[in-house]
């Protein structure tokens, strides 16, 4: 017990008593909170042992040394006992949490209404990106990726897109931080072409699905965040015929053997010559010519645009350090949302972006 008399407070009995009180209290602690109080009471600034320690200053000579030694030992014992108990209680608490928060992963959740199991569904965009990748992996292509926040140089300049090209305007392209930051949210998967060419030597065969961004408002046919798949091949003797054969194979894998495709001349700064790949309109292709004119899907054209493609512009090959006299390349890029819309007759983009399980589950878990 605390006593104002120095000699009493520092007597070996008093210190022994303080020590044994402390050890008993520590021993009895049932929780970390209790141990915290015990630490304050028995080892804190106002604990008997700390008060006794302060009295040492009033002593001199061998008495001082002796009291100092005894108090030091007692304090050490208390500290060690507190540390040991703290470790025990931590383990105890963890074990209790493991039991109280146990999750039964084998428990079956039934949907109360239908009594069927609640399962998730893969989003059809994920599935189609994998399906397209698989078509190309089977032909020996590798899957390539690039960052979504992309250097303006990769997204535009390296692809032969001039500094004053309208697509660079902030009304079309999202700039990260500021217009002069040099970083954009990529507007196309085409920058993956340049990244790949700088990294690998020909022959190069890559397919790159990914997210792209443009400042469009969300409506039935547009979304500011959408997906494209990019393809690039660089090798000796590649021609437009290889490109057409490759894309026909992709079209058949996506839409069935009977799909009809055509190349329509077009322009992209990074390909020369360039083409638009069209598919024969699924909606009106079977109908007579009168109803074709009224077709809302192709607006009477008989064809719908699927993606862009062409032979890699020699300027782009040279930017990547590839000898354009020795190698040629072809490239293509198409929208995944568009592909799904054609394939499944989806008419509203909202269905694709809202991720409503009632919509996605119709596509099942297929991979
Ligand atoms: N990047 C183009 C776009 O977003 C699509 C494209 C056209 C990709 C031609 C290509 C290509 O690889 O060769 O509209």
């Amino acid at each position: 017990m605390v006593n104002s008399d120095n000699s009493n407070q520092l007597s070996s009995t008093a210190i022994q008593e303080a020590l044994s009180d402390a050890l008993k209290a520590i021993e009895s602690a049932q929780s970390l909170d209790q141990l915290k109080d015990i630490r304050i009471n028995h080892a804190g600034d106002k604990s008997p042992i700390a008060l006794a320690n302060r009295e040492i200053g009033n002593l001199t000579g061998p008495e001082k040394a002796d009291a100092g030694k005894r108090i030091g030992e007692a304090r050490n014992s208390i500290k060690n006992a507190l540390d040991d108990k703290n470790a025990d209680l931590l383990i105890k608490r963890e074990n209790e949490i493991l039991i109280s928060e146990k999750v039964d992963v084998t428990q079956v959740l039934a949907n109360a209404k239908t009594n069927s199991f609640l399962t998730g569904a893969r989003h059809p965009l994920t599935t189609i990106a994998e399906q397209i990748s698989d078509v190309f992996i089977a032909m020996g292509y590798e899957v390539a990726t690039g960052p979504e926040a992309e250097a303006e140089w990769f997204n535009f300049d390296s692809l032969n897109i001039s500094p004053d090209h309208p697509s660079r305007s902030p009304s079309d392209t999202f700039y990260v931080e500021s217009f002069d930051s040099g970083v954009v949210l990529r507007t196309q998967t085409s920058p993956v072409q340049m990244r790949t060419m700088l990294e690998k030597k020909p022959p190069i065969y890559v397919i790159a699905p990914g997210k792209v961004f443009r400042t469009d408002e969300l409506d039935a046919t547009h979304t500011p965040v959408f997906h494209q798949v990019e393809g690039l091949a660089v090798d000796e003797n590649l021609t437009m015929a290889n490109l057409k054969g490759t894309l026909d194979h992709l079209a058949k894998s996506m839409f069935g053997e009977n799909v009809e495709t055509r190349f329509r001349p077009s322009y992209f700064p990074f390909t020369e010559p360039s083409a638009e790949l069209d598919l024969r309109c699924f909606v009106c292709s079977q109908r007579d010519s009168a109803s074709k004119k009224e077709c809302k899907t192709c607006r009477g054209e008989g064809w719908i645009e699927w993606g862009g493609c062409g032979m890699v512009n020699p300027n782009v090959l040279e930017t990547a350090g590839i000898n354009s006299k020795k190698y040629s390349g072809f490239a293509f890029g198409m929208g995944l949302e568009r592909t799904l819309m054609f394939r499944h007759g989806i008419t509203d983009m909202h269905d694709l972006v809202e991720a409503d399980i009632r919509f996605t589950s119709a596509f099942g878990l297929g991979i």
Side-chain angles (χ1 to χ4, degrees):
M1 282 288 97
V2 183
N3 193 311
S4 55
D5 176 351
N6 293 349
S7 55
N8 234 347
Q9 243 173 347
L10 288 169
S11 74
S12 67
T13 354
I15 292 170
Q16 263 310 313
E17 206 175 297
L19 174 62
S20 82
D21 280 355
L23 295 181
K24 248 187 248 154
I26 294 167
E27 184 55 41
S28 72
Q30 295 295 322
S31 68
L32 289 164
D33 279 345
Q34 278 180 13
L35 192 67
K36 207 167 139 194
D37 291 339
I38 292 167
R39 188 185 290 276
I40 293 169
N41 292 338
H42 294 273
D45 288 349
K46 294 194 178 122
S47 62
I49 206 86
L51 294 177
N53 192 45
R54 263 185 238 155
E55 299 302 327
I56 295 178
N58 298 331
L59 301 177
T60 50
E63 263 193 323
K64 185 175 185 176
D66 181 50
K69 187 167 171 252
R70 280 184 288 116
I71 289 186
E73 280 167 5
R75 291 181 108 189
N76 264 343
S77 308
I78 294 173
K79 184 186 171 296
N80 290 342
L82 280 167
D83 289 349
D84 290 349
K85 192 68 181 182
N86 193 53
D88 286 352
L89 289 173
L90 271 175
I91 293 172
K92 185 173 163 228
R93 190 181 64 178
E94 265 169 32
N95 286 338
E96 282 165 2
I97 290 175
L98 280 178
I99 292 169
S100 68
E101 294 183 3
K102 193 169 122 191
V103 174
D104 180 359
V105 290
T106 63
Q107 192 176 5
V108 173
L109 283 180
N111 178 331
K113 269 197 191 141
T114 62
N115 207 22
S116 62
F117 300 141
L118 279 175
T119 51
R122 305 187 80 214
H123 196 280
L125 282 168
T126 312
T127 320
I128 201 166
E130 285 178 10
Q131 284 170 346
I132 294 178
S133 300
D134 283 346
V135 169
F136 284 92
I137 289 168
M139 293 192 283
Y141 282 58
E142 285 175 69
V143 176
T145 55
E148 290 168 2
E150 179 58 286
E152 200 181 342
W153 185 83
F154 275 113
N155 195 79
F156 295 119
D157 305 76
S158 75
L159 297 171
N160 207 32
I161 299 175
S162 64
D164 53 358
H165 195 278
S167 68
R168 290 181 176 234
S169 130
S171 58
D172 286 342
T173 297
F174 289 112
Y175 281 78
V176 175
E177 285 179 6
S178 66
F179 181 48
D180 51 13
S181 65
V183 183
V184 297
L185 294 186
R186 66 177 179 191
T187 60
Q188 48 184 356
T189 41
S190 304
V192 181
Q193 289 187 29
M194 183 51 70
R195 287 187 172 271
T196 308
M197 287 189 284
L198 287 173
E199 218 172 77
K200 294 179 193 293
K201 287 197 167 58
I204 293 170
Y205 290 88
V206 290
I207 186 84
K211 222 173 248 173
V212 299
F213 309 82
R214 290 184 199 173
T215 60
D216 292 323
E217 298 274 343
L218 177 64
D219 64 20
T221 52
H222 296 87
T223 158
V225 183
F226 57 107
H227 298 75
Q228 289 185 333
V229 62
E230 193 80 16
L232 171 73
V234 182
D235 206 339
E236 288 178 43
N237 303 319
L238 287 181
T239 69
M240 204 91 177
N242 299 113
L243 172 62
K244 182 73 168 43
T246 305
L247 290 178
D248 275 354
H249 176 62
L250 174 63
K252 287 193 173 125
S253 314
M254 289 294 107
F255 304 105
E257 279 298 312
N258 294 328
V259 71
E260 233 184 292
T261 62
R262 78 169 183 191
F263 272 180
R264 182 164 40 85
S266 186
Y267 172 76
F268 296 100
F270 36 96
T271 42
E272 181 57 37
S274 303
E276 213 78 59
L277 179 70
D278 290 346
L279 302 169
R280 173 72 80 185
C281 178
F282 309 104
V283 179
C284 68
S285 60
Q286 313 297 334
R287 297 201 202 137
D288 57 69
S289 55
S291 57
K292 250 182 198 168
K293 285 208 184 80
E294 290 149 27
C295 179
K296 285 202 187 90
T297 306
C298 66
R299 291 193 207 91
E301 294 284 324
W303 295 91
I304 43 181
E305 185 187 311
W306 188 24
C309 61
M311 299 307 292
V312 180
N313 191 314
N315 288 345
V316 174
L317 292 175
E318 295 293 339
T319 302
I322 294 175
N323 182 351
S324 62
K325 302 261 180 320
K326 181 166 180 209
Y327 294 103
S328 57
F330 65 72
F332 55 89
M334 43 267 302
L336 293 186
E337 280 79 359
R338 250 177 112 67
T339 310
L340 272 178
M341 288 173 114
F342 296 157
R343 197 168 76 165
H344 299 281
I346 300 163
T347 49
D348 193 342
M349 187 66 85
H350 291 87
D351 286 336
L352 281 172
V353 297
E354 278 163 8
D356 185 329
I357 190 97
R358 287 167 301 180
F359 172 78
T360 49
S361 60
F363 293 85
L365 291 171
I367 43 169

